[in-house]
Coordinates of all heavy atoms in Angstrom, one line a residue:
A209 N 116.0 55.1 60.6 CA 116.7 54.0 60.2 C 115.8 52.8 59.9 O 116.0 51.9 59.1 CB 117.8 53.5 61.3
L210 N 114.6 52.7 60.6 CA 113.7 51.6 60.4 C 112.8 51.7 59.4 O 111.9 50.9 59.0 CB 112.9 51.4 61.8 CG 113.6 50.9 63.1 CD1 112.8 50.9 64.3 CD2 114.3 49.6 62.7
K211 N 112.8 53.0 58.6 CA 112.0 53.2 57.5 C 110.5 53.2 57.6 O 109.8 52.6 56.9 CB 112.6 52.5 56.3 CG 114.0 52.8 56.0 CD 114.4 54.1 55.7 CE 115.8 54.3 55.4 NZ 116.1 55.8 55.7
R212 N 110.1 53.4 58.9 CA 108.8 53.4 59.3 C 108.5 54.4 60.3 O 109.5 54.8 61.0 CB 108.2 52.1 59.6 CG 108.8 51.5 60.8 CD 108.1 50.2 61.2 NE 108.6 49.5 62.3 CZ 108.2 49.7 63.6 NH1 107.2 50.6 63.8 NH2 108.7 49.1 64.6
M213 N 107.2 54.8 60.7 CA 106.9 55.5 61.8 C 106.5 54.5 62.8 O 106.2 53.4 62.7 CB 105.8 56.6 61.4 CG 106.2 57.6 60.4 SD 105.0 58.7 59.9 CE 104.5 59.6 61.3
A214 N 106.5 55.1 64.1 CA 106.1 54.3 65.2 C 104.6 54.1 65.3 O 103.8 55.1 65.0 CB 106.6 54.8 66.5
E215 N 104.2 53.0 66.0 CA 102.9 52.9 66.4 C 102.7 53.5 67.9 O 103.7 53.5 68.5 CB 102.4 51.6 66.5 CG 102.2 50.8 65.2 CD 101.2 51.5 64.3 OE1 100.0 52.0 64.7 OE2 101.4 51.6 63.1
P216 N 101.7 54.2 68.2 CA 101.6 54.8 69.6 C 101.9 53.8 70.6 O 102.5 54.2 71.7 CB 100.1 55.3 69.7 CG 99.7 55.4 68.2 CD 100.3 54.5 67.5
A217 N 101.6 52.5 70.5 CA 101.8 51.6 71.5 C 103.3 51.3 71.8 O 103.7 51.0 72.9 CB 101.0 50.3 71.2
E218 N 104.1 51.5 70.8 CA 105.6 51.3 70.9 C 106.2 52.3 71.7 O 107.1 52.1 72.5 CB 106.2 51.3 69.5 CG 105.8 50.2 68.6 CD 106.4 50.2 67.2 OE1 105.9 51.0 66.5 OE2 107.4 49.4 67.1
I219 N 105.6 53.6 71.6 CA 106.3 54.7 72.5 C 105.6 54.6 73.9 O 106.4 54.7 74.9 CB 105.6 56.1 71.9 CG1 106.0 56.3 70.4 CG2 106.2 57.2 72.7 CD1 107.6 55.9 70.1
A220 N 104.4 54.0 74.0 CA 103.9 53.8 75.4 C 104.8 52.8 76.1 O 104.9 52.9 77.3 CB 102.4 53.4 75.3
Q221 N 105.3 51.8 75.4 CA 106.1 50.8 76.0 C 107.4 51.4 76.6 O 107.8 51.1 77.8 CB 106.6 49.7 74.9 CG 105.5 48.8 74.6 CD 105.1 47.7 75.7 OE1 105.8 47.8 76.7 NE2 104.1 47.0 75.5
A222 N 107.9 52.3 75.9 CA 109.2 53.1 76.5 C 108.8 54.0 77.6 O 109.6 54.0 78.6 CB 109.8 54.0 75.3
A223 N 107.6 54.6 77.7 CA 107.1 55.2 78.7 C 106.9 54.4 80.0 O 107.3 54.7 81.1 CB 105.9 56.1 78.6
L224 N 106.4 53.3 79.7 CA 106.2 52.2 80.9 C 107.5 51.8 81.5 O 107.7 51.8 82.7 CB 105.5 51.0 80.1 CG 105.4 49.7 81.2 CD1 104.7 50.0 82.3 CD2 104.8 48.6 80.5
F225 N 108.5 51.6 80.6 CA 109.9 51.3 81.2 C 110.3 52.4 82.1 O 110.8 52.1 83.2 CB 110.8 51.1 80.0 CG 112.4 51.2 80.4 CD1 112.8 50.0 81.1 CD2 113.1 52.3 80.3 CE1 114.1 50.0 81.5 CE2 114.5 52.1 80.7 CZ 114.9 51.1 81.3
L226 N 110.2 53.7 81.6 CA 110.9 54.8 82.4 C 110.0 54.9 83.7 O 110.5 55.4 84.8 CB 110.7 55.9 81.7 CG 111.7 56.1 80.5 CD1 111.5 57.3 79.7 CD2 113.1 56.2 81.1
L227 N 108.6 54.7 83.8 CA 107.9 54.7 84.9 C 107.9 53.6 85.9 O 107.7 53.6 87.1 CB 106.3 54.9 84.5 CG 106.0 56.3 84.0 CD1 104.7 56.3 83.3 CD2 105.9 57.3 85.3
S228 N 108.4 52.5 85.3 CA 108.5 51.2 86.2 C 109.9 51.1 87.0 O 110.8 51.8 86.5 CB 108.4 50.1 85.3 OG 109.6 49.7 84.6
D229 N 109.9 50.2 87.9 CA 111.2 49.9 88.6 C 112.2 49.3 87.7 O 113.3 49.3 88.2 CB 110.9 49.1 89.9 CG 110.0 49.8 90.9 OD1 109.9 51.0 90.8 OD2 109.4 49.0 91.8
R230 N 111.9 48.8 86.6 CA 112.9 48.2 85.7 C 113.8 49.4 85.3 O 115.0 49.3 85.0 CB 112.3 48.0 84.4 CG 111.5 46.6 84.5 CD 111.1 46.0 83.2 NE 110.2 45.1 83.4 CZ 110.1 44.0 82.7 NH1 110.9 43.6 81.7 NH2 109.2 43.1 83.0
A231 N 113.5 50.8 85.4 CA 114.3 51.9 85.1 C 114.9 52.4 86.4 O 115.1 53.6 86.5 CB 113.6 52.9 84.3
S232 N 115.2 51.5 87.5 CA 115.3 52.2 88.8 C 116.6 53.1 88.8 O 116.8 53.8 89.8 CB 115.5 51.1 89.8 OG 116.4 50.1 89.3
F233 N 117.5 52.8 87.8 CA 118.8 53.6 87.9 C 118.9 54.6 86.6 O 119.8 55.1 86.3 CB 120.0 52.7 87.8 CG 121.3 53.4 88.5 CD1 121.2 53.8 89.9 CD2 122.5 53.6 87.8 CE1 122.3 54.4 90.4 CE2 123.6 54.2 88.3 CZ 123.5 54.5 89.6
V234 N 117.7 54.9 86.1 CA 117.6 55.8 85.0 C 117.0 57.1 85.4 O 115.9 57.1 85.8 CB 116.8 55.2 83.8 CG1 116.8 56.2 82.5 CG2 117.3 53.8 83.4
T235 N 117.8 58.2 85.5 CA 117.2 59.5 85.8 C 118.0 60.6 85.0 O 119.2 60.4 84.7 CB 117.1 59.8 87.3 OG1 116.2 60.8 87.5 CG2 118.4 60.1 87.9
G236 N 117.2 61.6 84.6 CA 117.9 62.9 84.0 C 118.1 62.5 82.5 O 118.8 63.3 81.8
S237 N 117.7 61.4 82.0 CA 117.9 61.1 80.7 C 117.0 61.7 79.7 O 115.9 62.0 80.0 CB 117.9 59.7 80.5 OG 116.7 59.1 80.3
A238 N 117.5 61.9 78.4 CA 116.6 62.2 77.2 C 116.5 60.9 76.4 O 117.5 60.7 75.6 CB 117.2 63.3 76.5
M239 N 115.6 60.0 76.7 CA 115.6 58.8 76.1 C 115.0 58.7 74.7 O 113.9 59.1 74.5 CB 114.8 57.8 77.0 CG 115.2 56.3 76.6 SD 114.4 55.1 77.7 CE 113.0 54.7 76.7
L240 N 115.9 58.3 73.7 CA 115.4 58.2 72.4 C 114.5 57.0 72.2 O 115.0 55.8 72.6 CB 116.5 58.2 71.4 CG 117.4 59.4 71.4 CD1 118.6 59.0 70.5 CD2 116.6 60.6 70.9
A241 N 113.2 57.1 71.6 CA 112.5 56.0 70.9 C 112.2 56.4 69.5 O 111.1 56.7 69.4 CB 111.2 55.7 72.0
D242 N 113.1 56.6 68.9 CA 113.1 57.3 67.5 C 113.3 56.6 66.3 O 113.5 57.1 65.3 CB 114.0 58.6 67.6 CG 115.5 58.2 67.4 OD1 115.8 57.0 67.5 OD2 116.3 59.1 67.1
G243 N 113.3 55.1 66.5 CA 113.5 54.4 65.3 C 114.8 54.7 64.6 O 114.9 54.5 63.3
G244 N 115.7 55.3 65.2 CA 117.0 55.6 64.6 C 117.0 56.8 63.7 O 117.9 57.0 62.9
N245 N 116.0 57.7 63.9 CA 116.2 59.0 63.1 C 117.3 59.9 63.5 O 117.9 60.6 62.5 CB 114.9 59.6 63.0 CG 114.4 60.5 64.2 OD1 115.3 60.7 65.0 ND2 113.2 60.9 64.2
S246 N 117.9 59.8 64.6 CA 119.0 60.6 65.0 C 120.3 60.2 64.4 O 121.2 61.0 64.4 CB 119.1 60.6 66.6 OG 119.2 59.2 67.1
I247 N 120.4 58.9 63.9 CA 121.5 58.4 63.3 C 121.4 58.1 62.0 O 122.4 57.7 61.2 CB 122.0 57.1 64.0 CG1 121.0 56.0 64.1 CG2 122.6 57.4 65.4 CD1 120.8 55.1 62.9
T248 N 120.4 58.7 61.2 CA 120.2 58.4 59.8 C 120.6 59.7 59.1 O 120.1 60.7 59.3 CB 118.7 58.1 59.5 OG1 118.5 56.9 60.3 CG2 118.4 57.7 58.1
K249 N 121.5 59.4 58.1 CA 122.0 60.6 57.3 C 121.7 60.3 55.8 O 121.7 61.2 54.9 CB 123.5 60.9 57.4 CG 123.9 61.3 58.9 CD 123.5 62.6 59.3 CE 123.9 63.0 60.7 NZ 122.9 63.7 61.6

Side-chain angles (χ1 to χ4, degrees):
L210 294 177
K211 300 303 172 203
R212 66 177 180 87
M213 293 171 71
E215 291 301 325
E218 295 179 281
I219 306 304
Q221 288 286 356
L224 171 61
F225 168 72
L226 289 171
L227 283 161
S228 78
D229 290 342
R230 289 184 194 224
S232 55
F233 206 60
V234 183
T235 197
S237 78
M239 193 178 102
L240 299 171
D242 74 345
N245 76 14
S246 56
I247 50 86
T248 302
K249 302 287 180 219

